[in-house]
Structures are given as C-alpha cells and as structure tokens.
Amino acid sequence: MELTESHQSLWPGGGQSDTAETFQVLGHAEKAQVLLPTRPLKATSQSLIRYHGGMGFGTRVARRGAATLARLGILGVLIRDRRFIDLGSTNDPGSLRSIISNAVENGRFSVAISFGPPRANQKPIIRIMNPDGRTVAFAKIGWNELTKNLVDAEVEAVSSEAVQALNSVVVPRVLFHGNWETNRVAVYQAVLGGPGRVEPDANQFLAVAHCWPTSTQKLRTTSFFERLVADLTNIEGSNGQVARGVVDLLDATYGEKEFSLGGWHGDWTPWNNARLSQRRIVLWDWERAGGEAPLGFDSVHYRFQPSSLRGGRRPVAQLLNAAIRPGNSSLAGNDPEAIGRLYMATVAARHLQPGGESGPVEQYGAFLNELAAMLRSDNVASGHGNGIG
C-alpha cells in the first residue's frame, strides 16, 4: 500500500530491525492512514477509540465494533498490510523512543500513528498508551518547514498563562517540546472527551478570544487587516488576481468600520473539541491560534467548516448565513455580515497560500470568487454591505 509523504520522510527505510515495531495499516494514503500496534491487543483496541464533538452515533458504533474485533485478535487477521516503524533504542537519548519514555512514564508503552489526508500541513500524530491500553499522551511531529512552525506555534499558544487559566475550556499540558533528529516534536498530556455532540456556548468562544489583548479599532488601522492584506496579496495565479480585488473591496466597504478584536483558536471545529462534563469541554489543535482577529471568528468557523465539507457545493453566501446565525452573542456586537466576509477572506487566504495549500483548494478559490462578487455588488449598489445573500 502507498505511503504518505510524511511517512516516507520520517521512516524512509521501513524495514525490520532490532528496534522496529510492526503495525497494521488501516486506511489509505490518499485519504488517511492509521498504523495500529499489533500488540498488546488492548492497545490495538484502544487505538480505535477517541470521541470528538463531530462524531455521530453511527461512527461511534463502528469504531466500537472495530475495537472489539481488535481486542479479540480478529482485526489483525482481516488487515493484511503491515509496516515497520523504528522508534529507536532506549539507550539512545536522542531517539523518539527515549523522548516519549521520558515525557510520560518510563517503561513499556505502545503507540498508534495517524497520518491525516494528504496536504501541506499533514503532521503525524502519535497516540501513546501504557501496557493496559490506557492513553497517556499524544505527540505531534513537524517534519518540514511548515509543520515545524505549526508545532512550535501550538506549543507557544497552549503554554501561555491565559490559555492555561481557562476554566470551562480545558487544554492539554505540554510534556515535551524539542527536536528529534531534524524534526520538531511536541508531546501533550492526554485529555480525552466522552461521546456526544458538543455545542460550545458564547462564553466559551469569548473566553478563548480574550486570551489575547482586546481592543476596538477601525479595520483599516488593525494589524489583523494588515496581515490579511499581505496574505491575500501573496496568492498567485488567477486566484491572486481575485484576491487583490477583494483587498480593495474590503477596504472600501469596511475600512472605516469599527470592530471589537481579540484572538481566536483558528481551527475550532466539532472534531477539535469534545465533552468533558456538562459545563466543560476539551479543545485540541491550537496551531493556528493567536491574535489579532475580530471577535466571533471562532464561532463562525465552528459552524462553517462542517457545512462546507459536506457533499455538494453550496454557495458561500448560504454557508455564511447559516454560520453566523441571528443573535450570535459570541460576535460581541460586531456586524454579522462583515464578520462573515472577513472570516471568508481569512480562511480562503490560508488555504490558497503558495507552497502551503491545504484542503479543498479549488473550493476555496471558488469561495473567493463568490466573495468578490458579493462585495462588488454591494459597492455598486451603495458602497456598503447590504446582506450576505
């Protein structure tokens, strides 16, 4: 079976050795792969169980079923493909095995390794389990310039005093951050949520946003807009021409408008959080977190992303209308229409950066064109936004 690019880069040999372990391969390189430990069976089974806020009942049942097959040793018979991964020796203090062992509990452990869908920011995620199958930590590996920067950025975000002081939003603690050979590694305490859908409330969205300095400013004077203009201007090709037009249209429409600003998580989606209790959630994947950004971006992202990834291609205006929702108090008084459009420009610029494209690039190019058309229409009519649709 084909290997992912990150897999080939990190473990190019892939052969048997004294320190190599055998893994069962679940999935496909062109979509996503998980390497499951072949033993102990408790670890194989637990590798398949992890709940998040976007996981439906059917998926939970399917995962439980696969975990049962793994625990009984049946899954290993059904999955024929094998890979050999060398974590190094415990006698080598620079090995990945030593890094993990020192970050968690010294002694024996098992790991499962996940490779997400092919994209520039694909980072292998290592699930670390003790011999009885209990998950004790997760590790992320930055293997190229982009992913190394993302690993470092996440560690910086979650290590801040403000983020660690959050109450209703729980953040995993960093156990190790450093180098493994030419790669960057971050090991995090395992904080696992329970089953069931999650709908963060406005207070949780705003609590995260207030982890960075807040202010009220005209859009044209903000560092946020300066950064957005730079990102849009950096886009190449036909999308770049559209992006430069969007810069002018946003400035003409909203440049003199005042916005409440703070920070944002940057990728708060249903699959990046889970329920801990009735009032508390765990929030993962802080690699895009930071400020400055208009208040409300996280709540729009939380609703926009699942809708945009579902089958079919719905107009961006329809997706934004559904994501904003009337009376959304997490916008903190910001104009919903303006927030939707600034958000769309921001995430389109993220996905369309040269050399860093990720996710459905063609889709975000189409969204950028639709955003430009909406802004042009409103500017022709009155010079101001008149509604997303």
Side-chain angles (χ1 to χ4, degrees):
M1 185 179 291
E2 186 181 353
L3 300 177
T4 66
E5 183 183 359
S6 54
H7 187 159
Q8 295 178 62
S9 175
L10 292 168
W11 293 286
Q16 288 181 289
S17 69
D18 292 340
T19 52
E21 297 185 16
T22 307
F23 292 83
Q24 304 164 21
V25 183
L26 185 65
H28 304 279
E30 62 272 16
K31 293 184 179 179
Q33 281 185 345
V34 180
L35 305 186
L36 306 174
T38 56
R39 54 185 171 80
L41 293 180
K42 285 184 178 179
T44 312
S45 175
Q46 289 301 307
S47 300
L48 295 162
I49 300 175
R50 180 188 175 189
Y51 298 122
H52 58 69
M55 187 177 291
F57 177 75
T59 303
R60 297 201 303 269
V61 170
R63 288 213 172 191
R64 279 288 181 184
T68 299
L69 293 177
R71 190 172 63 253
L72 297 174
I74 300 173
L75 192 65
V77 177
L78 300 176
I79 300 177
R80 298 288 185 176
D81 196 21
R82 297 290 187 271
R83 289 286 180 269
F84 300 101
I85 297 293
D86 194 342
L87 301 179
S89 168
T90 52
N91 296 324
D92 176 6
S95 72
L96 189 56
R97 188 181 302 277
S98 291
I99 288 172
I100 292 173
S101 180
N102 291 331
V104 288
E105 302 169 0
N106 284 313
R108 297 178 58 194
F109 60 84
S110 297
V111 302
I113 307 173
S114 300
F115 300 89
R119 52 185 180 174
N121 64 341
Q122 181 195 68
K123 297 173 301 304
I125 298 177
I126 300 177
R127 182 171 186 154
I128 304 161
M129 296 160 285
N130 65 14
D132 68 4
R134 181 172 61 88
T135 300
V136 295
F138 286 91
K140 292 185 178 182
I141 303 179
W143 58 280
N144 59 17
E145 184 177 0
L146 173 62
T147 56
K148 289 176 187 177
N149 290 337
L150 291 173
V151 167
D152 290 344
E154 180 172 29
V155 169
E156 181 179 358
V158 302
S159 300
S160 73
E161 290 184 11
V163 170
Q164 286 295 320
L166 289 168
N167 185 23
S168 63
V169 177
V170 177
V171 181
R173 183 168 55 90
V174 179
L175 302 176
F176 172 84
H177 177 224
N179 296 321
W180 164 54
E181 298 180 351
T182 61
N183 312 293
R184 296 292 279 171
V185 177
V187 182
Y188 297 90
Q189 161 201 27
V191 183
L192 302 178
R197 294 195 178 277
V198 175
E199 184 67 21
D201 60 35
N203 290 332
Q204 290 170 320
F205 283 127
L206 289 173
V208 168
H210 281 77
C211 288
W212 290 268
T214 59
S215 65
T216 300
Q217 301 177 53
K218 290 182 179 180
L219 179 66
R220 192 176 290 133
T221 67
T222 64
S223 61
F224 159 77
F225 192 61
E226 180 181 0
R227 187 173 62 252
L228 176 58
V229 169
D231 288 343
L232 288 169
T233 306
N234 197 40
I235 298 172
E236 299 173 345
S238 59
N239 286 326
Q241 295 178 0
V242 176
R244 284 183 283 278
V246 167
V247 168
D248 294 335
L249 291 164
L250 287 172
D251 183 66
T253 307
Y254 302 118
E256 286 296 308
K257 190 176 184 67
E258 288 196 337
F259 290 86
S260 297
L261 302 125
W264 70 312
H265 173 274
D267 195 20
W268 195 337
T269 59
W271 48 90
N272 280 339
N273 67 188
R275 186 185 308 282
L276 289 179
S277 66
Q278 186 175 359
R279 298 183 180 275
R280 304 180 84 203
I281 63 174
V282 56
L283 181 57
W284 307 294
D285 292 347
W286 290 70
E287 61 200 28
R288 302 281 190 178
E292 165 184 75
L295 297 181
F297 265 26
D298 273 328
S299 65
V300 174
H301 189 82
Y302 191 89
R303 298 176 178 94
F304 181 91
Q305 287 299 314
S307 298
S308 69
L309 294 175
R310 293 190 188 110
R313 245 282 290 139
R314 296 163 60 192
V316 68
Q318 184 180 349
L319 292 168
L320 288 176
N321 274 327
I324 290 169
R325 294 185 180 178
N328 186 346
S329 58
S330 63
L331 302 184
N334 282 330
D335 175 22
E337 172 201 276
I339 291 298
R341 292 180 176 185
L342 290 170
Y343 162 79
M344 189 69 260
T346 300
V347 294
R350 175 190 295 179
H351 285 273
L352 297 173
Q353 289 301 297
E357 296 90 345
S358 62
V361 173
E362 183 178 342
Q363 182 184 41
Y364 278 96
F367 284 163
L368 193 64
N369 275 276
E370 291 181 57
L371 175 61
M374 287 190 292
L375 289 166
R376 279 195 301 269
S377 175
D378 284 350
N379 272 268
V380 168
S382 64
H384 300 282
N386 290 331
I388 291 174

